[in-house]
């Protein structure tokens, strides 16, 4: 059960992080009034979140 939950959390973190990167770089303009669009700080935060999600998945798969 723990492994399943951590896999879902890691996957969600990767997907959310990639969305933040895309919004922060101005590649995705959704939602149209988002404060994150074209703000590089959110691209950095998204990259960090995606990396944490990837590390979570690697740790789960090794255990």
């Amino acid at each position: 059960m723990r492994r399943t939950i951590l896999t879902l959390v890691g996957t969600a973190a990767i997907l959310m992080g990639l969305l933040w990167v895309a919004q922060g770089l101005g590649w995705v303009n959704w939602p149209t009034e988002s404060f994150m669009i074209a703000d590089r700080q959110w691209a950095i935060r998204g990259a960090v979140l995606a990396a944490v999600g990837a590390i979570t998945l690697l740790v789960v798969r090794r255990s």
Side-chain angles (χ1 to χ4, degrees):
M1 182 71 165
R2 179 178 172 226
R3 185 176 182 174
T4 303
I5 291 170
L6 287 175
T7 300
L8 289 173
V9 168
T11 303
I14 291 171
L15 293 173
M16 189 180 309
L18 291 176
L19 176 62
W20 289 2
V21 167
Q23 284 181 326
L25 295 176
W27 296 343
V28 174
N29 294 322
W30 174 83
T32 56
E33 296 182 12
S34 175
F35 59 91
M36 296 168 56
I37 294 175
D39 184 351
R40 296 221 185 247
Q41 187 64 36
W42 283 102
I44 294 168
R45 291 175 183 165
V48 170
L49 181 61
V52 168
I55 291 168
T56 301
L57 288 180
L58 288 174
V59 168
V60 167
R61 290 182 187 244
R62 288 187 179 190
S63 62

